[in-house]
Amino acid sequence: MDIMPGVGAMPQRSDIDALIDLENGFISREIFVNPEIHKQELDKIFTRAWLFVGHESQIPNRGDFFTSRMGDESVIMCRDRAGTIHVFLNSCRHRGMKVCRYESGNTSIFTCPYHSWTYTLDGKLQGVPLYRSLYDGVLDRDANSLVTVAKLANYKGTIWATWDKDAPDFLAYLGDAKIHLDQALDCRDGREGGSEVIGVHKWIFPSNWKFAAENFLGDTYHNPSHRSVDLIGIGPSAISGKKGRRDNELEHAKHVWISFPQGHGVHSAIQPEANEYVESFLDQPILEEYFRHCYEERKRRLGEGARLMPFVGTIFPNTSYHGRQPRGLCAWHPHSPTSTEAWRFFLVDKDAPKEAKEYLRRFYMRYSGPAGMTEQDDMENWLYATAASTGTVARRYPFNYQQSMGAYTTDHPLGGEVSLQVTEQIARGFYRGWARYMRGETWEGLMGGGTPQKREAAE
Ligand code: FES
Ligand code: FE
């Protein structure tokens, strides 16, 4: 097999096909380390795709704000006096100073620390010092308001935004990945929405953002990395005195890996018909009652649908979720080709008993984030793989994505390309989407032209 030729510092449109060779299952290491490609990603992907910004439970009151990120930009998510949520660029229109330097809080107005221009809670420029004497009273306030996102969606409490006014509506963008993401956002007992963020972990790791996004598409193949965690048993439950594994709930389930035409990918599980609650917290009656109620009520509400148990997934490009435990969303914010800022938002049912919230909070920390045992395993892989892929010789050799080539069906009720075996098809689907953005395709192309079959026919 020929090695893939390295590309120069300035990849051209035609280089994308050389970088992403899906037919043969090879992807160039350049896309994980090359600064020029990184710059193009920010321009071609992060200014167009829908990005996760935060959760409405983080800003429950009027005047509440949470500073977030979209790609490499700082943005403010804010609730105005009327209760409407806005997202705008955290950069003053005068000389670019951050108008808000706090992570979160409550305010009646944003005052720029540099020369004191002030902006209202919906981003409008309000006050300009010496407006009459220095600007002849004619400075156009509307034209100098904070830059607002082109579209914003509140989906079951999660706030998403895009800079592209031509982007499809958020639900169209989600496509058939919706029912998988749903169950990270819905209450444990099957009620729609009703979750709240109980904390956000933020940390930086020395690796490309796509290592993390790809891992959460459903790279089940890396499970040996977590062998020590599984042996110790850090799962949320302690079944009949045994240590909880990470995946107790899915032990007897049939696993599915799905790639969607928009570039999203998920790993979910379908439980057998006879799936009963397993006693898990016998020495903690409040937890036992809560988890049993959630399990049985979810079955009652969703019927057959309750058998679908989402595990992990990535909504293209950089928002991943854990659907069961720990439950939450993670945004992988690119800093540089080899540096990523991870923000993990942990979710619980807003009306869960305080004992359950506290129990889950501890489990989330034990599992995820910079101190979480499982996330440490994953990050170790990403950062060593990055360090070992920046060398001149290493960069000449592409990564191998040949696992389970062609082993999927496009004729499954769950939609997309469904694999019933461990597969890299979801990663190949993610990079197929990545290549479409990098080629600057229209939204019809980015959405896969409706179906994978139609798309393939068009190609
Ligand atoms: Fe904000 Fe000058 S930079 S007022
Ligand atoms: Fe992992």
Side-chain angles (χ1 to χ4, degrees):
M1 177 111 14
D2 289 342
I3 60 167
M4 182 176 291
V7 296
M10 296 287 288
Q12 302 300 309
R13 186 185 166 92
S14 58
D15 289 329
I16 302 301
D17 294 332
L19 296 166
I20 309 290
D21 177 7
L22 297 176
E23 209 175 310
N24 296 305
F26 288 106
I27 292 178
S28 169
R29 299 187 194 213
E30 291 293 330
I31 75 166
F32 299 95
V33 296
N34 183 308
E36 183 57 31
I37 292 175
H38 176 73
K39 222 162 79 186
Q40 291 197 17
E41 282 181 332
L42 291 170
D43 182 35
K44 294 181 172 179
I45 299 176
F46 286 88
T47 62
R48 296 184 76 191
W50 280 94
L51 305 174
F52 171 65
V53 179
H55 194 279
E56 66 178 3
S57 63
Q58 296 177 283
I59 49 167
N61 304 310
R62 285 145 207 237
D64 284 353
F65 65 85
F66 171 73
T67 49
S68 186
R69 294 179 65 94
M70 291 174 69
D72 58 348
E73 320 279 359
S74 173
V75 297
I76 302 170
M77 176 178 84
C78 175
R79 194 182 287 274
D80 72 15
R81 286 177 200 279
T84 305
I85 293 175
H86 302 268
V87 174
F88 33 75
L89 204 58
N90 186 10
S91 180
C92 181
R93 294 299 298 273
H94 182 223
R95 281 297 182 284
M97 177 64 187
K98 272 191 175 181
V99 296
C100 181
R101 292 176 295 168
Y102 301 95
E103 292 187 33
S104 61
N106 182 281
T107 188
S108 56
I109 201 145
F110 293 103
T111 303
C112 178
Y114 203 166
H115 311 92
S116 302
W117 283 20
T118 58
Y119 298 91
T120 55
L121 298 175
D122 56 0
K124 296 274 182 318
L125 176 61
Q126 186 182 61
V128 175
L130 304 171
Y131 178 74
R132 287 188 194 288
S133 55
L134 302 184
Y135 291 92
D136 295 331
V138 296
L139 184 143
D140 185 339
R141 282 192 170 85
D142 282 344
N144 287 281
S145 292
L146 293 176
V147 177
T148 303
V149 293
K151 288 187 174 182
L152 183 147
N154 181 342
Y155 184 63
K156 295 188 172 180
T158 52
I159 307 300
W160 304 73
T162 168
W163 300 108
D164 187 347
K165 65 178 177 22
D166 298 323
D169 288 346
F170 181 67
L171 282 182
Y173 182 86
L174 262 189
D176 289 332
K178 174 182 169 299
I179 58 167
H180 304 268
L181 174 66
D182 271 350
Q183 295 174 63
L185 309 182
D186 290 345
C187 284
R188 294 299 81 181
D189 63 6
R191 281 173 294 152
E192 289 210 1
S195 299
E196 68 177 4
V197 170
I198 52 164
V200 184
H201 275 165
K202 300 177 180 178
W203 73 102
I204 294 170
F205 59 88
S207 179
N208 187 276
W209 64 275
K210 294 189 291 302
F211 266 105
E214 181 190 315
N215 187 98
F216 278 83
L217 290 166
D219 174 5
T220 315
Y221 199 50
H222 81 275
N223 262 4
S225 301
H226 299 307
R227 183 156 160 72
S228 56
V229 171
D230 285 335
L231 285 173
I232 295 165
I234 64 162
S237 57
I239 298 173
S240 308
K242 283 190 236 151
K243 286 171 184 166
R245 277 174 51 89
R246 292 179 300 131
D247 55 358
N248 283 332
E249 219 176 29
L250 307 178
E251 212 165 12
H252 302 292
K254 193 160 80 183
H255 292 245
V256 288
W257 293 263
I258 314 176
S259 172
F260 296 100
Q262 299 88 344
H264 320 314
V266 304
H267 168 196
S268 291
I270 300 168
Q271 289 197 313
E273 266 177 62
N275 59 103
E276 299 302 325
Y277 177 74
V278 179
E279 290 174 335
S280 300
F281 301 94
L282 295 179
D283 54 346
Q284 298 176 79
I286 294 175
L287 295 181
E288 181 65 12
E289 190 189 324
Y290 170 70
F291 284 107
R292 177 189 291 279
H293 165 79
C294 287
Y295 192 90
E296 287 170 358
E297 178 65 9
R298 183 173 180 272
K299 262 177 84 171
R300 192 190 68 77
R301 281 175 180 272
L302 305 184
E304 262 295 285
R307 289 174 57 201
L308 181 71
M309 288 278 193
F311 182 43
V312 291
T314 291
I315 304 303
F316 191 91
N318 70 328
T319 306
S320 299
Y321 67 83
H322 261 122
R324 298 303 300 169
Q325 301 296 5
R327 180 158 63 109
L329 295 168
C330 198
W332 313 108
H333 300 298
H335 268 209
S336 80
T338 53
S339 176
T340 299
E341 184 163 338
W343 287 20
R344 190 177 271 286
F345 298 70
F346 295 106
L347 293 167
V348 293
D349 292 354
K350 197 179 286 182
D351 58 6
K354 67 178 189 322
E355 291 83 355
K357 289 185 184 181
E358 179 58 15
Y359 188 84
L360 290 170
R361 192 176 71 79
R362 287 173 183 277
F363 170 61
Y364 294 168
M365 290 192 292
R366 197 159 74 225
Y367 190 107
S368 298
M373 293 183 69
T374 311
E375 198 119 48
Q376 286 184 52
D377 293 339
D378 289 330
M379 282 193 289
E380 201 167 321
N381 292 325
W382 307 336
L383 63 93
Y384 277 98
T386 298
S389 295
T390 51
T392 308
V393 174
R395 285 165 73 163
R396 293 179 186 160
Y397 293 83
F399 289 156
N400 183 300
Y401 286 81
Q402 294 179 312
Q403 188 183 96
S404 301
M405 293 277 270
Y408 62 86
T409 175
T410 53
D411 188 24
H412 191 283
L414 287 172
E417 296 166 341
V418 177
S419 304
L420 301 177
Q421 65 189 53
V422 173
T423 181
E424 283 169 352
Q425 182 59 25
I426 31 180
R428 290 189 291 271
F430 178 85
Y431 293 110
R432 178 174 53 201
W434 183 91
R436 290 175 187 158
Y437 278 86
M438 293 294 275
R439 282 195 291 259
E441 293 198 16
T442 64
W443 273 105
E444 196 192 352
L446 298 180
M447 293 298 93
T451 65
Q453 297 94 322
K454 197 173 153 192
R455 174 73 205 170
E456 272 165 26
E459 280 175 353

